[in-house]
Amino acid sequence: MNHHHHALTLQPGQLALSDLRAAWAAPVQLTLAAEAWDAIKASAATVKAIVAKGDPAYGINTGFGILAKAHIPHDQLATLQRNLILSHAVGTGELLLDPIVRLILLTKIGSLARGYSGVRPVIIETLVKMLNAGIMPAIPSQGSVGASGDLAPLAHMTLPMLGVGQVRVNGELQDAADALRAAGIEQIELEAKEGLALINGTQVSTALALHGLFMAERLLEAGMVTGALSVDAARGSDAPFDPRIHAVRGQPGQIAAANIYRQLVAGSAIRASHLVGDERVQDPYSLRCQPQVMGAVMDLIANAGRTLLIEANAVTDNPLLFEGGEIISGGNFHAEPVAFAADTLALAIAEIGALAERRIALLIDANLSGLPAFLVREPGLNSGFMIAHVTAAALASENKSHAHPASVDSLPTSANQEDHVSMATFAARRLDQMAHNTAVIVAIELLAAAQGIEFHRPLTSSAILEQVHAALRKQVAAYDADRFFAPDIEAARRMVVGGELSAACKELFTVLHP
């Protein structure tokens, strides 16, 4: 079984984006670096000392939020922590997907293991065992405002450690107590501070945003490949990819994108065929301005990646324990950086789709493309790509509503103690739907552009684009007459989401994977 797993040794604070991408893509076997345990033990000892002393310390022997004035006696501290988890497990909606739950567990382990949270080693060991056994807590996707941390979803993450609630193992829901027993993992009783450390933090919004980031990376690659294919299908010019144009503007993403487009279309016989005697002077923007738009998208994605990598390694619970036993209350659980990163990813994902939709519209319009109307040989008898474009337009339009920023919204909670919140969890959660929408648009463009270059046979496109074309044709036949179209779109969508479009030219896209 283990050969399917990606082995990962976690140095707290040192997770790379490639580690997170690997844990998102497939199950992991996680080991915590041996040198991490000293800081964890020291932090737990600090909590023990505070409890023994009995002075009020927020989150250790007091109530929570605005109830912080209530001092809780020593013999009720375990009950306090258990009550915290049960009362905060108020989530609703669909359960988060396994790849997202893996990222939540991984980043929560990494955060607690930095030794500022005051949990015993057994807490971290239990989370590691659950992750390695593929025991995924059932975490409802709705119910967090992204400040005070992702309280409700992280409470659902914590329930199974107490033998409460449900988990998913190999995609099957089962009772947490049964799953732990089957895996030989002991239930735990939470001690002072531990419940709060588990549910305070930005791990859910961060994991959702990382999912959006990794989807955006795939969509960017796929959208550049289909965009290049559309240039050839529409017999567009590669002059707009000339490096001199981009050098004088100086935007780094744009320069990198133009370089990629140039290599994608290099050696195309279709392009060579209309270098002379083509009466058109300029292409529409959806072809010509691809380096400018997709380059800006690339820069946004890279920027969001930097923020989210920092957050994935961050200590975001409260209060925090520092050298010399000092315990300090702050607000690292406020997920504003994640909310902003998610909102910018929404713009990037929406624009990849918006530009692709315009190119589909161009390809089906005989006046613009010079191709048969709706990309089919006998238009009239056949409707061809007419309504596939309508689907693309519907999804592009839906993404415009989804792209509205979530971070500018706030509703005060907890009797106005928590008076400004980030809405990061929704900001990040909506990226999945947006990415699905854009993937379908790019898939329809792939089908349309592949169809378009066939009308130029016997001329061939570039070596890379012909490989993409051949990979598609292994799964989807050419569209010579009307047929049930949805399965073609679904097959193309799977290629987009699976990263297959850039498989022929992975090295071109290494700039995207720092």
Side-chain angles (χ1 to χ4, degrees):
M1 153 130 186
N2 283 356
H3 62 277
H4 296 303
H5 290 68
H6 170 78
L8 178 61
T9 301
L10 175 64
Q11 304 276 354
Q14 302 292 308
L15 278 168
L17 267 181
S18 54
D19 298 325
L20 294 161
R21 219 181 268 114
W24 171 74
V28 284
Q29 281 302 118
L30 184 69
T31 315
L32 196 57
E35 57 271 29
W37 294 107
D38 287 350
I40 295 165
K41 288 173 183 156
S43 171
T46 302
V47 171
K48 231 182 164 105
I50 292 168
V51 168
K53 212 165 150 208
D55 292 345
Y58 175 70
I60 291 180
N61 52 17
T62 69
F64 305 106
I66 209 157
L67 305 176
K69 294 181 198 72
H71 188 261
I72 312 296
H74 194 281
D75 60 354
Q76 292 183 339
L77 293 185
T79 308
L80 172 72
Q81 293 299 318
R82 187 179 175 87
N83 285 351
L84 176 71
I85 303 306
L86 298 175
S87 68
H88 284 53
V90 292
T92 186
E94 287 185 25
L95 298 181
L96 294 177
L97 302 168
D98 283 359
I100 293 163
V101 178
R102 283 197 298 271
L103 287 174
I104 293 169
L105 291 172
L106 175 59
T107 54
K108 177 54 86 174
I109 290 162
S111 182
L112 296 177
R114 287 185 57 186
Y116 298 99
S117 304
V119 303
R120 290 167 297 155
V122 68
I123 299 291
I124 294 169
E125 285 163 356
T126 303
L127 286 167
V128 171
K129 284 176 187 167
M130 284 170 61
L131 177 61
N132 289 346
I135 297 174
M136 300 287 114
I139 305 178
S141 56
Q142 293 173 281
S144 173
V145 294
S148 262
D150 289 307
L151 295 170
L154 287 171
H156 286 276
M157 177 202 77
T158 307
L159 285 176
M161 302 169 75
L162 317 180
V164 181
Q166 288 192 305
V167 295
R168 226 179 4 224
V169 182
N170 295 323
E172 299 289 314
L173 272 179
Q174 46 180 277
D175 281 331
D178 297 340
L180 289 192
R181 200 175 306 113
I185 302 171
E186 302 237 344
Q187 291 178 26
I188 53 172
E189 186 168 336
L190 296 169
E191 293 188 1
K193 173 79 170 69
E194 291 178 339
L196 192 61
L198 283 160
I199 68 168
N200 245 312
T202 62
Q203 285 79 28
V204 175
S205 50
T206 302
L208 285 163
L210 285 166
H211 172 70
L213 174 77
F214 300 148
M215 290 297 286
E217 291 172 346
R218 290 190 173 179
L219 294 170
L220 177 64
E221 293 183 8
M224 291 175 83
V225 171
T226 58
L229 202 57
S230 286
V231 169
D232 255 5
R235 290 169 62 249
S237 172
D238 59 355
F241 309 147
D242 188 304
R244 293 167 293 188
I245 298 170
H246 309 286
V248 296
R249 190 177 203 181
Q251 294 288 357
Q254 181 179 326
I255 291 166
N259 182 38
I260 290 170
Y261 281 108
R262 226 173 21 256
Q263 294 179 71
L264 285 171
V265 298
S268 163
I270 298 173
R271 170 61 187 137
S273 74
H274 60 99
L275 276 167
V276 180
D278 193 332
E279 72 292 345
R280 297 170 302 170
V281 180
Q282 290 187 324
D283 293 327
Y285 291 179
S286 62
L287 296 178
R288 194 195 334 164
C289 300
Q290 290 184 79
Q292 288 79 4
V293 176
M294 297 298 263
V297 165
M298 196 184 286
D299 285 334
L300 266 195
I301 290 173
N303 199 39
R306 280 189 287 275
T307 298
L308 294 175
L309 179 58
I310 292 169
E311 196 70 7
N313 281 299
V315 179
T316 54
D317 60 299
N318 180 66
L320 298 175
L321 301 147
F322 293 95
E323 310 279 307
E326 211 176 342
I327 181 161
I328 309 178
S329 264
N332 275 1
F333 49 66
H334 197 299
E336 196 81 350
V338 181
F340 283 159
D343 277 347
T344 58
L345 282 171
L347 301 180
I349 291 168
E351 284 292 76
I352 294 167
L355 201 63
E357 182 277 324
R358 290 291 76 210
R359 291 189 299 266
I360 300 165
L362 184 161
L363 290 174
I364 64 172
D365 183 341
N367 299 321
L368 281 173
S369 68
L371 296 167
F374 303 111
L375 299 169
V376 72
R377 279 193 196 284
E378 292 183 58
L381 176 62
N382 296 290
S383 294
F385 277 70
M386 183 191 292
I387 309 302
H389 167 252
V390 174
T391 296
L395 297 175
S397 182
E398 202 176 287
N399 272 354
K400 292 175 190 180
S401 291
H402 285 308
H404 180 87
S407 56
V408 293
D409 183 35
S410 174
L411 272 177
T413 59
S414 196
N416 270 318
Q417 170 84 347
E418 291 153 17
D419 58 348
H420 180 275
V421 298
S422 72
M423 300 298 173
T425 321
F426 168 66
R429 176 164 52 83
R430 93 329 190 140
L431 299 176
D432 181 65
Q433 180 65 59
M434 294 186 71
H436 172 81
N437 291 347
T438 290
V440 175
I441 299 169
V442 173
I444 293 169
E445 183 186 14
L446 172 62
L447 294 167
Q451 191 75 2
I453 66 166
E454 284 170 10
F455 287 114
H456 301 311
R457 296 292 186 235
L459 297 174
T460 54
S461 185
S462 69
I464 290 172
L465 295 177
E466 287 293 348
Q467 272 183 276
V468 171
H469 181 271
L472 174 68
R473 285 290 171 256
K474 278 201 191 93
Q475 300 194 38
V476 178
Y479 194 112
D480 52 358
D482 283 352
R483 62 171 189 246
F484 180 26
F485 205 160
D488 298 359
I489 294 170
E490 174 55 21
R493 184 195 67 82
R494 280 199 302 268
M495 290 180 73
V496 169
V497 171
E500 283 179 61
L501 269 63
S502 49
C505 49
K506 263 292 170 231
E507 66 292 342
L508 287 189
F509 291 103
T510 49
V511 295
L512 303 182
H513 301 300

